């Protein structure tokens, strides 16, 4: 985990330690894990993104290049976090990728309605999972040119 | 001399008129065999006889007149008594009163005859006066009392009954007037002017007697017509606006009674049900019902009794209903005119009754329908609630069940890939099994969720090209065939109304089964086509392979969830694919079945509409 306050490439909001470990394992393989911040629930995610509470000392201008967001989270769910990010002028340009177990169409539709940048269903098949993690990292960190944060 | 001729002619005319009325009343009596009419016939007949005797006496001279005087007195008194008995039949007297009155009449008669026998025509003037006064008083009493009584009693009756009673009253009064006139004229008989006046008055009285005692049909119709204006409005209300059978029966009965001048009546529906009664004493209802039941084709049935009564029945053409009226003493008469009127009236009421019955049936059906709608709404709400629960459940499964599976297959994969060198070969084999099992369970969960989602998704049907769908399905599965040699033959496929995405799922599942079960064939052959169907079911589509087939004995289990026809080491699978196909076909309103032989291939047939069984099961 990166130090508080320092710039990170990826913010990963994931309450499942297994999924976290698997994702990190794959990202690590492609040397993408050096600047990754993991938070375990919705509330912490909001505090991190909006620099409040535990992360009050963080600079809001220093935002990750991409946020990986699970939908089912303790305290505040992923869709709510997405809504807050996309409503706020300071954070709306951060690319958000839903990385979730949910295959429900309504979650997918709601996510896109709220302005998600990508929606990826976590596959059970590990080979597929690896592929997802790899392309995800490559695309959002290496290929995608984010707009300058406001 | 012309005056004498005129008097003679008018006297003859009077006699003839009396005789004519007498004939009418006698005929009336003979027709009805009614006691009261017999009295009336007797009374009028007696008066006619007196009149005839007078004429005969004049013709035969004084000797006959003196001989016939006894007869004249007797007959005249008989006429008074008969009228009183008629009144008794109509409005019964107390037995004692009747006895006293009869006694007085007989005594008077004896007095008159006695005086005549003893003194002849030369009795002292005082005795003559007493005899004459007694005679006039008794006779006038007998005849005058009923007229006053009827006139007074008529006040509270319906129009028709009132008219009838007043007519009777006038008839009686006319007879009194006749007597008084004859008494006064006898003293003044010598003056021709009086004789003429008397003759004219007598002739004028004749129609009154006729109308009073034997009212003709035209007169009875006139009485009814006085009610006609109100009646027209009433019958319209009854026929068109009566809200239920009882209201209709009550009001139509009321008017039937009012216009026929009946005393009472009831409205029957079928043999037993009484919809309405009016003016009936407690045991009369049973009497009327019995009369109606035993009437056969008759419409008027005399009941007899004192006062005499009769029943008139009008049948309605609906529901065996009938209007049954009880005629009392003041009911004019239940003649053919009344029958015709009542039948016509009954026809109108029938229309109303029919309407009311339809309205009631409609209301009942509406009530049932509302009940059903409530029931269905309730069940729909329950189903919706159950559906929401199911959705929440499958959402949880979708999310929570897959996470641990991912961990199982993910970490074993890492072990196998990154730490393979440190693990013994046997252990690697086991790890492989763990990974495969995790992935298999992942597929199970996915398939199951897809299956459960099917029931909840709305169909998006439109006219689509089945050929296009099959081509897409074949393309989608191309990668699974890999290096195998499979002949895919696609025949003529008519377009259909269906949900394209779901139907693609059907063909993907059926085709992947066909590929899977034919993979051990050197020359696998998969055929897709359609058979010409019926108008209700549309074409029958089929997918055929020359693969492993299955035992038809287990065909009943084919479309159940998790039902497998092969061991998993022979052919992998979750047992959900055909269940999904089955559900999609069902949701389109079609049916699906299969023909197969072990090692002889399998053919799956399905239609997309017209499956009656499915429709009824939805309705139930």
């Amino acid at each position: 985990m990166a130090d508080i306050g320092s710039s990170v490439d990826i913010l990963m909001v994931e309450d499942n330690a297994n999924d976290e470990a698997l994702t990190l394992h794959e990202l690590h393989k492609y040397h993408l894990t050096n600047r990754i911040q993991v938070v375990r629930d919705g509330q912490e995610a909001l505090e991190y993104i909006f620099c409040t509470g535990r992360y009050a000392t963080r600079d809001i201008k220093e935002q990750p290049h991409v946020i990986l967001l699970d939908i089912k989270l303790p305290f505040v769910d992923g869709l709510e976090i997405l809504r807050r990010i996309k409503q706020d002028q300071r954070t709306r340009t951060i690319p958000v990728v839903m990385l979730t177990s949910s295959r429900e169409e309504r979650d997918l539709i709601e996510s896109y309605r709220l302005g998600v940048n990508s929606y990826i269903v976590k596959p059970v098949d590990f080979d597929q999972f690896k592929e997802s993690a790899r392309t995800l990292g490559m695309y959002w960190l290496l290929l995608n040119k984010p707009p300058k944060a406001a | 001399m012309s005056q004498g001729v005129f008097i003679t002619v008018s006297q003859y005319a009077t006699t003839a008129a009396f005789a004519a009325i007498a004939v009418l009343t006698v005929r009336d009596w003979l027709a009805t065999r009614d006691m009261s009419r017999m009295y009336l016939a007797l009374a009028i007949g007696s008066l006619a006889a007196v009149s005839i005797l007078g004429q005969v006496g004049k013709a035969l001279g004084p000797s006959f007149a003196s001989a016939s005087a006894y007869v004249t007195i007797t007959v005249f008194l008989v006429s008074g008594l008969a009228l009183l008995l008629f009144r008794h039949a109509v409005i019964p007297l107390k037995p004692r009163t009747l006895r006293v009155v009869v006694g007085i009449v007989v005594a008077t008669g004896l007095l008159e005859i006695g005086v005549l026998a003893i003194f002849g025509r030369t009795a002292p003037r005082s005795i003559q006066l007493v005899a004459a006064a007694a005679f006039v008083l008794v006779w006038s009493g007998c005849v005058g009392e009923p007229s006053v009584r009827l006139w007074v009693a008529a006040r509270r009756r319906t129009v028709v009954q009132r008219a009838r009673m007043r007519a009777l009253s006038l008839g009686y009064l006319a007879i009194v007037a006749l007597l008084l006139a004859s008494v006064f004229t006898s003293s003044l008989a010598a003056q021709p002017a009086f004789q003429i006046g008397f003759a004219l008055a007598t002739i004028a009285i004749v129609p009154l007697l006729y109308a009073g005692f034997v009212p003709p049909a035209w007169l009875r119709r006139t009485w009814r017509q006085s009610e006609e204006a109100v009646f027209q409005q009433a019958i319209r209300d009854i026929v068109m606006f009566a809200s239920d059978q009882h209201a209709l029966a009550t009001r139509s009965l009321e008017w039937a009674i009012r216009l026929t001048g009946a005393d009472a009546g009831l409205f029957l529906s079928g043999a037993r049900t009484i919809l309405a009664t009016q003016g009936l004493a407690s045991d009369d209802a049973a009497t009327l019902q019995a009369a109606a039941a035993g009437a056969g084709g008759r419409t008027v049935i005399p009941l007899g009794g004192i006062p005499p009564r009769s029943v008139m029945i009008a049948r309605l053409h609906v529901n065996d209903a009938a209007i049954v009226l009880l005629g009392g003493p003041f009911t004019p008469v239940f003649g053919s005119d009344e029958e015709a009127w009542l039948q016509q009236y009954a026809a109108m009421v029938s229309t109303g009754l029919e309407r009311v019955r339809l309205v009631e049936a409609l209301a009942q059906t509406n009530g049932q329908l509302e009940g059903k709608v409530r029931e269905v709404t309730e069940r729909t709400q329950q189903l919706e609630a159950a559906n929401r629960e199911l959705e929440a459940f499958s959402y949880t499964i979708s999310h929570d069940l897959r996470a641990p599976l991912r961990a199982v297959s993910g970490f074993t994969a890492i072990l196998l890939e990154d730490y393979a060198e440190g693990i013994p070969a046997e252990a690697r084999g086991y790890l492989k099994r763990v990974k495969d099992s995790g992935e298999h369970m992942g597929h199970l969960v996915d398939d199951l969720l897809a299956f459960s989602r099917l029931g909840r998704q709305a169909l998006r049907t439109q006219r689509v090209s089945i050929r296009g769908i099959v081509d897409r399905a074949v393309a989608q599965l191309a990668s699974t065939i890999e290096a195998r040699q499979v002949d895919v033959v696609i025949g003529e496929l008519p377009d259909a109304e269906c949900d394209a995405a779901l139907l693609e799922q059907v063909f993907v599942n059926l085709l992947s089964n066909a590929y899977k079960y034919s993979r051990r064939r050197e020359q696998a052959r998969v055929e897709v086509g359609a058979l010409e169907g019926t108008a209700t079911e549309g074409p029958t589509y089929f997918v055929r392979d020359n693969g492993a087939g299955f035992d038809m004995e287990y065909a009943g289990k084919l479309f159940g969830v998790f039902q497998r026809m092969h061991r998993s080491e022979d052919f992998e699978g979750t047992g959900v694919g055909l269940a999904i196909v089955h559900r999609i076909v069902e949701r389109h309103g079609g049916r699906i079945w299969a023909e197969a032989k072990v090692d002889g291939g399998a053919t799956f047939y399905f239609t997309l509409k017209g499956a009656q069984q499915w429709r009824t099961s939805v309705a139930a």
Side-chain angles (χ1 to χ4, degrees):
Chain A
M1 263 189 244
D3 293 334
I4 293 171
S6 72
S7 171
V8 298
D9 289 330
I10 299 174
L11 172 67
M12 183 166 161
V13 190
E14 175 61 81
D15 69 320
N16 186 318
N18 289 331
D19 283 350
E20 180 201 328
L22 289 171
T23 312
L24 289 182
H25 178 87
E26 284 312 305
L27 293 177
H28 178 74
K29 265 195 175 164
Y30 300 97
H31 313 291
L32 294 166
T33 46
N34 49 340
R35 290 192 293 172
I36 185 159
Q37 172 76 33
V38 178
V39 291
R40 284 291 168 76
D41 64 61
Q43 198 185 340
E44 193 184 350
L46 287 175
E47 284 175 6
Y48 183 89
I49 295 162
F50 294 101
C51 308
T52 56
R54 281 162 273 185
Y55 299 94
T57 58
R58 218 175 66 78
D59 182 359
I60 198 157
K61 287 187 180 131
E62 296 290 331
Q63 293 290 14
H65 289 178
V66 64
I67 297 174
L68 305 181
L69 196 55
D70 196 359
I71 286 187
K72 211 176 164 212
L73 290 168
F75 311 132
V76 184
D77 75 24
L79 291 173
E80 175 63 16
I81 294 169
L82 175 64
R83 197 177 60 77
R84 300 247 196 116
I85 290 171
K86 291 298 175 186
Q87 263 179 5
D88 197 303
Q89 286 297 332
R90 300 165 299 174
T91 55
R92 63 189 302 176
T93 54
I94 309 170
V96 178
V97 176
M98 284 303 192
L99 188 59
T100 172
S101 305
S102 171
R103 285 189 169 210
E104 291 291 315
E105 204 177 42
R106 57 173 184 184
D107 284 340
L108 182 89
I109 291 168
E110 182 65 7
S111 298
Y112 275 107
R113 200 182 64 78
L114 291 172
V116 80
N117 300 79
S118 189
Y119 189 99
I120 292 168
V121 178
K122 292 180 203 164
V124 171
D125 189 318
F126 188 66
D127 294 329
Q128 282 181 46
F129 185 77
K130 278 193 314 199
E131 188 60 19
S132 301
R134 196 177 63 76
T135 50
L136 188 76
M138 297 288 265
Y139 178 76
W140 289 106
L141 296 183
L142 305 179
L143 302 177
N144 192 36
K145 291 267 180 280
K148 285 265 182 276
Chain B
M1 159 182 175
S2 66
Q3 268 186 350
V5 172
F6 181 78
I7 291 166
T8 312
V9 168
S10 64
Q11 280 175 346
Y12 278 127
T14 311
T15 305
F18 264 106
I21 300 182
V23 168
L24 277 180
T25 51
V26 169
R27 195 194 63 178
D28 203 31
W29 163 52
L30 289 176
T32 58
R33 297 276 166 185
D34 184 39
M35 203 63 156
S36 64
R37 300 202 187 253
M38 184 192 80
Y39 291 136
L40 192 64
L42 185 58
I44 308 285
S46 306
L47 286 174
V50 169
S51 189
I52 291 167
L53 277 176
Q55 296 304 321
V56 173
K58 258 184 226 159
L60 295 184
S63 58
F64 177 81
S66 64
S68 71
Y70 299 102
V71 182
T72 307
I73 290 167
T74 311
V75 171
F76 214 101
L77 278 173
V78 163
S79 80
L81 191 62
L83 275 173
L84 191 82
L85 288 172
F86 174 64
R87 178 250 196 244
H88 170 67
V90 171
I91 316 169
L93 287 163
K94 283 186 196 131
R96 207 168 128 241
T97 318
L98 188 65
R99 276 199 299 275
V100 169
V101 170
V102 171
I104 289 172
V105 172
V106 171
T108 312
L110 289 177
L111 173 72
E112 302 297 327
I113 290 167
V115 167
L116 201 63
I118 294 165
F119 300 104
R121 288 189 169 268
T122 57
R125 198 166 167 74
S126 57
I127 292 177
Q128 260 192 16
L129 207 65
V130 168
F135 184 84
V136 170
L137 272 179
V138 167
W139 198 89
S140 303
C142 283
V143 181
E145 190 271 347
S147 63
V148 176
R149 171 127 190 153
L150 281 167
W151 192 271
V152 173
R155 276 187 310 190
R156 277 191 295 275
R157 301 296 178 129
T158 58
V159 172
V160 175
Q161 279 207 346
R162 188 160 65 229
R164 165 62 174 151
M165 289 165 83
R166 297 252 153 106
L168 273 177
S169 172
L170 280 176
Y172 276 106
L173 281 173
I175 292 172
V176 175
L178 196 67
L179 176 76
L180 293 177
S182 73
V183 168
F184 286 113
T185 49
S186 67
S187 56
L188 303 164
Q191 293 190 19
F194 273 99
Q195 286 194 346
I196 292 169
F198 175 61
L200 286 177
T202 316
I203 289 176
I205 284 163
V206 170
L208 269 183
L209 286 178
Y210 175 60
F213 294 113
V214 200
W218 62 265
L219 183 61
R220 303 196 303 262
R221 212 175 299 138
T222 313
W223 294 340
R224 274 207 304 277
Q225 267 160 9
S226 64
E227 296 265 69
E228 206 72 359
V230 197
F231 170 70
Q232 289 303 338
Q233 182 60 43
I235 187 69
R236 209 166 27 244
D237 286 356
I238 293 169
V239 171
M240 294 174 69
F241 301 115
S243 55
D244 58 83
Q245 291 192 48
H246 287 276
L248 179 106
T250 307
R251 297 217 53 211
S252 58
L253 181 63
E254 184 191 323
W255 273 97
I257 288 172
R258 193 160 155 183
L259 284 187
T260 54
D263 271 6
L266 54 77
F267 196 115
L268 285 175
S269 175
R272 307 230 158 267
T273 319
I274 297 175
L275 282 180
T277 65
Q278 187 182 322
L280 282 179
S282 55
D283 47 347
D284 281 348
T287 312
L288 289 199
Q289 259 181 300
R298 287 181 299 165
T299 49
V300 178
I301 301 162
L303 288 181
I306 296 177
R309 303 190 299 180
S310 58
V311 174
M312 177 151 69
I313 301 155
R315 302 210 178 273
L316 277 60
H317 59 69
V318 184
N319 226 11
D320 268 344
I323 297 173
V324 185
L325 299 177
L326 182 61
F330 304 118
T331 305
V333 75
F334 284 152
S336 57
D337 196 57
E338 278 74 12
E339 280 174 45
W341 178 84
L342 193 64
Q343 297 307 333
Q344 202 185 345
Y345 177 71
M348 282 191 282
V349 174
S350 296
T351 319
L353 188 62
E354 182 83 64
R355 181 189 63 77
V356 167
R357 278 185 49 223
L358 287 176
V359 167
E360 284 181 349
L362 199 66
Q364 200 185 353
T365 315
N366 273 347
Q368 286 171 348
L369 210 62
E370 269 167 33
K372 277 265 186 291
V373 167
R374 256 198 307 281
E375 213 174 280
V376 168
T377 312
E378 226 165 75
R379 280 179 62 179
T380 308
Q381 282 166 350
Q382 286 169 356
L383 279 176
E384 275 170 0
N387 224 350
R388 274 195 299 277
E389 244 169 65
L390 200 68
E391 222 166 292
F393 174 70
S394 63
Y395 183 81
T396 306
I397 287 186
S398 152
H399 198 279
D400 293 358
L401 215 55
R402 283 150 52 90
L405 287 174
R406 221 161 31 241
V408 169
S409 56
F411 289 116
T412 45
I414 290 172
L415 284 177
L416 285 170
E417 281 175 24
D418 297 357
Y419 305 94
E421 297 92 59
I423 302 172
E426 196 183 358
R428 276 206 301 277
Y430 294 150
L431 279 174
K432 175 93 172 51
R433 282 173 190 242
V434 171
K435 180 172 175 280
D436 289 349
S437 296
E439 276 164 14
H440 180 66
M441 188 165 169
H443 291 308
L444 277 177
V445 170
D446 286 350
D447 284 356
L448 208 56
L449 285 173
F451 180 65
S452 91
R453 253 199 302 273
L454 267 181
R456 292 177 276 132
Q457 267 171 14
L459 284 188
R460 284 179 283 250
T461 53
Q462 53 183 344
R463 188 125 201 111
V464 293
S465 154
I466 300 294
R467 174 68 204 226
I469 287 176
V470 171
D471 286 344
R472 280 201 296 280
V474 169
Q476 195 182 323
L477 293 170
S479 64
T480 63
I481 306 179
E482 292 168 350
R484 283 170 57 206
Q485 187 66 42
V486 180
D487 276 351
V488 179
V489 182
I490 302 175
E492 193 85 0
L493 292 167
D495 296 352
E497 291 278 337
C498 61
D499 185 312
L502 290 181
L503 215 68
E504 189 173 325
Q505 183 75 56
V506 167
F507 279 108
V508 165
N509 289 10
L510 290 179
L511 282 170
S512 68
N513 276 355
Y515 292 162
K516 183 163 74 183
Y517 294 112
S518 63
R519 72 175 166 217
R520 295 193 183 153
R521 292 277 178 273
E522 252 169 56
Q523 191 56 55
R525 180 187 157 87
V526 173
E527 195 186 340
V528 183
L531 306 173
E532 204 169 309
T534 62
T536 48
E537 281 205 316
T540 301
Y541 300 94
F542 67 86
V543 176
R544 178 175 296 144
D545 64 63
N546 61 348
F550 57 84
D551 189 342
M552 281 299 278
E553 198 181 321
Y554 305 111
K557 293 182 166 186
L558 203 55
F559 301 105
V561 184
F562 293 137
Q563 295 293 339
R564 300 228 48 217
M565 310 296 276
H566 301 275
R567 293 183 304 181
S568 55
E569 54 262 46
D570 294 338
F571 295 101
E572 73 292 344
T574 58
V576 183
L578 282 180
I580 287 176
V581 168
H582 182 229
R583 182 165 281 193
I584 292 173
V585 169
E586 260 193 349
R587 289 209 58 195
H588 279 84
R591 61 195 180 95
I592 182 164
W593 66 101
E595 281 166 10
K597 214 162 74 184
V598 175
D599 227 24
T603 309
F604 285 85
Y605 301 92
F606 68 91
T607 64
L608 288 172
K609 59 176 185 179
Q612 215 52 47
Q613 212 179 350
W614 164 252
R615 299 248 160 87
T616 31
S617 74
V618 164

